[in-house]
Amino acid sequence: MTYEQLPIGKKIKIRERETNLAANRVRATIKQYTVAEKYPHMCIVKDAQGSRRGLSMGDLIMNGVIKQKPELEALKTVPRPRTFRKRGR
């Protein structure tokens, strides 16, 4: 589904990071939102409590909600294996 095909009222799941400063930990959680409004390059979503949040098209693509055009999907690079990555020294 592309951004143009994303209907208002659709429920989507977004992965978010939560930081616990006391324990110095970061964990990923999945929250469910409902698409409320659409604009040319972003959409407004609501959670279960009714609070609103803006999501860019990049957020939607990274979470697998929408796909890019096929010619843009073809430009994505193949990830390198771990043996060729730099080490954090």
Side-chain angles (χ1 to χ4, degrees):
M1 161 185 346
T2 61
Y3 183 70
E4 291 82 21
Q5 298 168 344
L6 182 68
I8 293 177
K10 180 172 175 72
K11 296 196 182 290
I12 59 174
K13 293 182 180 178
I14 301 294
R15 179 177 290 162
E16 297 179 347
R17 288 184 176 180
E18 291 184 357
T19 305
N20 184 353
L21 296 176
N24 199 15
R25 291 189 180 198
V26 177
R27 68 178 195 170
T29 59
I30 297 176
K31 293 187 179 179
Q32 187 167 355
Y33 293 99
T34 304
V35 177
E37 301 172 32
K38 283 178 50 177
Y39 295 102
H41 299 287
M42 69 176 294
C43 69
I44 305 296
V45 294
K46 291 183 180 179
D47 63 359
Q49 290 82 23
S51 62
R52 299 162 57 102
R53 176 179 175 197
L55 293 176
S56 67
M57 288 177 61
D59 294 330
L60 298 173
I61 291 169
M62 294 298 291
N63 284 290
V65 176
I66 64 172
K67 299 242 183 245
Q68 294 177 323
K69 296 176 185 176
E71 57 269 12
L72 295 176
E73 286 287 331
L75 293 176
K76 289 185 178 178
T77 59
V78 177
R80 292 183 178 178
R82 287 195 159 270
T83 56
F84 294 106
R85 292 184 185 168
K86 290 184 177 178
R87 294 185 181 186
R89 293 185 196 192

